[in-house]
Each structure stands twice: as C-alpha cells, then as structure tokens.
Amino acid sequence: MDKFADYIWYLLPGVLKKNKRINQLYIFCKVAGNIFDDIKAMLFRLRQETMLETCSDCMLEIFGQDRNMYQMKGETYIQYRQRLKMKAQIAEMAGLLQGILYALESVGYGNCTIYPLYKDDPDRWAEINIDFWVWSVDDQNEIDFACIVNEVMHTKKASTLPHYIFHYPILIQNREDIENCRTVHRFTSNFFENVLYLDGSWILDGTKILGGSFDNLDGRNIIRAEAELTEKISSKMTIKNDLWYLDGEVLLDGSRKLDAYIKEEVL
C-alpha cells in the first residue's frame, strides 16, 4: 500500500466498506490520508535537507554560514558542496602542508605539490613553492584565483610565504629537418682489476685480497653540432653518475657504488 488512505480503509471492518463510491468513511479516509501523505513527504524532505550530501542547492548557504564558508566568485554549487564536505579534513590538517593540499583540492586543484625552499636555501626557511600541474592549457577553473589564494592563507601557518607556480604542458608538433649536421660523441670508460664486492658470495677466510683498484682514463664527452644557419642553438646537459636513492629499491649487496654526483654543462 503506497498511500495512507488505502491503509486506513483496509483497517476498517467489512460492514463499513459497503458502497465505496458514495461511502462517507471512504471520503474521510482519502482526505485524512492525503494530509498524512503530505506530512510524510515533508518529513522525508526535512531529513534530506539536514544532510550536506542530499540537501538542495539553496540550503548550501545555511551549511556555509555554520562553517563560516561562503560561496566564492565563479564557484559552482557542485564545487561549493565539495568544499563544504572537505571542511573537517582541512581543519584537522590546518597548518600542515597536507592541509594546504586539501584546501587546494577543495577548490578544484587536486594535482598540486608543495616544495619547501629551505631545502635549497636555509635562509628561506619560511617559504614554499606551490606547483599547480595543469593537465592542459585548455583546462580552466572558473573560481576567482584571489579566492583560492585566500583559502590557502587561511590554512597555512601564519609565518609561511607561499609562491604560486603553474605548469602548463605544451606539445610542439612541428617537425624541422636540418641538413649538413654532424654529431660527435666521446665517452669515458673505467678500467679496473681485482675488484671484490662484499655481497656474501665468498667467505672472509684470507684467501682473497681486498686490494683492487680502479684506473680512470682521461676523457671527455663532446657533442658538436654544425649547421649553416643564422639560428642560435643552445642546450644544457645534466650528467648523473651512479645516482642511487636509499628508498628500498636498491639492495646494499655490493652491486652498486655510492659515489654519485650531478653535473650540469651548458653546450
């Protein structure tokens, strides 16, 4: 039984159910049932309006007033609802880098990273770079960026100075053919003799001598480019020698050398 009137009519004794079309009790059941059906519908709607997940768009302003969060310029109701739902997460992590990332995610920037500048310069101990990694130059966030900055300022530490950097991927599809060019590559090779590694494959019983040595040959890596053009060509090469990270992917079994260095050369 979907309607309350049908349920009331069902509860009546059979002797009172004669001549249903003109029965005054049936008319009363229909009127009272419609009233109770409307009350039930309003109760169900009230339950929905009291939950942030199911409330109507106009009720979002009421939830925003309770949380001191108002709809931003350019923010849609979907984005506003998502930001209100993340209020607890942001408040729990306020003052931390993760809290700033949550705040950025709530305003539509979920692909962000934060880099503290003290890692490069100890004097910049209170500065951070916030990198926005945008999927495409065509992606647009309608929220006013001043509102996004204000959201970050409310979440970060009071002493932190943020710098905002946007990264836009660009694909160059033009192809250029250059004739009469030649490249020359020279590499340095290491020669070694009697080198033993402490990898557990042999026993330290005196039968082996730990006197191996490496002999390096002098050499250079040279790249030359020749072109009969007036166009200026410049490039930079980054050399990473034996750059291993102690992140668990490389075992300390003697197969790798911990003598890494990074060198940049402008060509």
Side-chain angles (χ1 to χ4, degrees), residues 84-102:
L84 290 172
K85 290 165 59 177
M86 294 187 66
K87 172 64 176 179
Q89 276 183 301
I90 298 173
E92 184 179 357
M93 292 292 181
L96 303 177
L97 297 182
Q98 187 61 45
I100 299 176
L101 293 177
Y102 282 153

Side-chain angles (χ1 to χ4, degrees), residues 22 24 59 110 128 130 176 178 180 201 207 237:
I22 59 174
Q24 297 297 311
M59 282 295 295
I128 59 173
I130 301 178
E176 183 178 359
I178 301 177
N180 299 326
S201 61
T207 58
M237 174 182 292

Side-chain angles (χ1 to χ4, degrees), residues 93-113:
M93 292 292 181
L96 303 177
L97 297 182
Q98 187 61 45
I100 299 176
L101 293 177
Y102 282 153
L104 292 171
E105 182 181 353
S106 69
V107 292
Y109 289 105
N111 193 23
C112 295
T113 57

Side-chain angles (χ1 to χ4, degrees), residues 53-230:
E53 185 71 32
T54 58
C55 71
S56 58
D57 293 339
C58 61
M59 282 295 295
L60 293 177
E61 297 182 4
I62 307 301
F63 284 97
Q65 292 176 4
D66 294 338
R67 293 163 172 79
N68 195 23
M69 296 171 61
Y70 300 95
Q71 191 171 11
M72 298 178 180
K73 181 180 179 181
E75 186 177 29
T76 64
Y77 283 116
I78 297 177
Q79 294 172 325
Y80 188 31
R81 189 187 302 271
Q82 179 65 22
R83 187 161 61 90
L84 290 172
K85 290 165 59 177
M86 294 187 66
K87 172 64 176 179
Q89 276 183 301
I90 298 173
E92 184 179 357
M93 292 292 181
L96 303 177
L97 297 182
Q98 187 61 45
I100 299 176
L101 293 177
Y102 282 153
L104 292 171
E105 182 181 353
S106 69
V107 292
Y109 289 105
N111 193 23
C112 295
T113 57
I114 298 178
Y115 184 78
L117 295 183
Y118 75 84
K119 294 183 178 181
D120 298 329
D121 186 357
D123 294 334
R124 306 179 69 179
W125 57 271
E127 300 181 47
I128 59 173
N129 281 346
I130 301 178
D131 296 284
F132 296 79
W133 302 93
V134 184
W135 296 111
S136 172
V137 294
D138 298 327
D139 293 342
Q140 294 183 356
N141 193 334
E142 300 298 334
I143 301 177
D144 188 6
F145 191 72
C147 298
I148 296 174
V149 172
N150 187 52
E151 195 72 14
V152 173
M153 300 299 286
H154 278 89
T155 309
K156 71 176 186 63
K157 286 185 179 179
S159 59
T160 304
L161 175 62
H163 304 282
Y164 304 93
I165 304 173
F166 280 82
H167 300 266
Y168 293 95
I170 299 177
L171 178 62
I172 301 176
Q173 297 181 350
N174 295 333
R175 180 176 177 179
E176 183 178 359
D177 296 329
I178 301 177
E179 298 180 356
N180 299 326
C181 289
R182 183 182 65 176
T183 59
V184 180
H185 301 272
R186 295 189 179 93
F187 299 93
T188 301
S189 299
N190 292 324
F191 288 85
F192 51 91
E193 184 180 4
N194 297 327
V195 176
L196 300 177
Y197 294 97
L198 299 177
D199 56 1
S201 61
W202 49 277
I203 302 175
L204 297 175
D205 56 358
T207 58
K208 306 289 185 179
I209 299 176
L210 300 177
S213 62
F214 286 87
D215 296 327
N216 293 327
L217 297 180
D218 295 333
R220 293 180 300 170
N221 184 12
I222 301 175
I223 299 178
R224 294 176 180 174
E226 298 178 0
E228 297 179 358
L229 299 172
T230 58

Side-chain angles (χ1 to χ4, degrees), residues 43-60:
L43 289 175
F44 285 157
R45 181 182 176 185
L46 177 63
R47 184 176 64 177
Q48 292 180 346
E49 295 294 343
T50 55
M51 294 185 293
L52 182 58
E53 185 71 32
T54 58
C55 71
S56 58
D57 293 339
C58 61
M59 282 295 295
L60 293 177

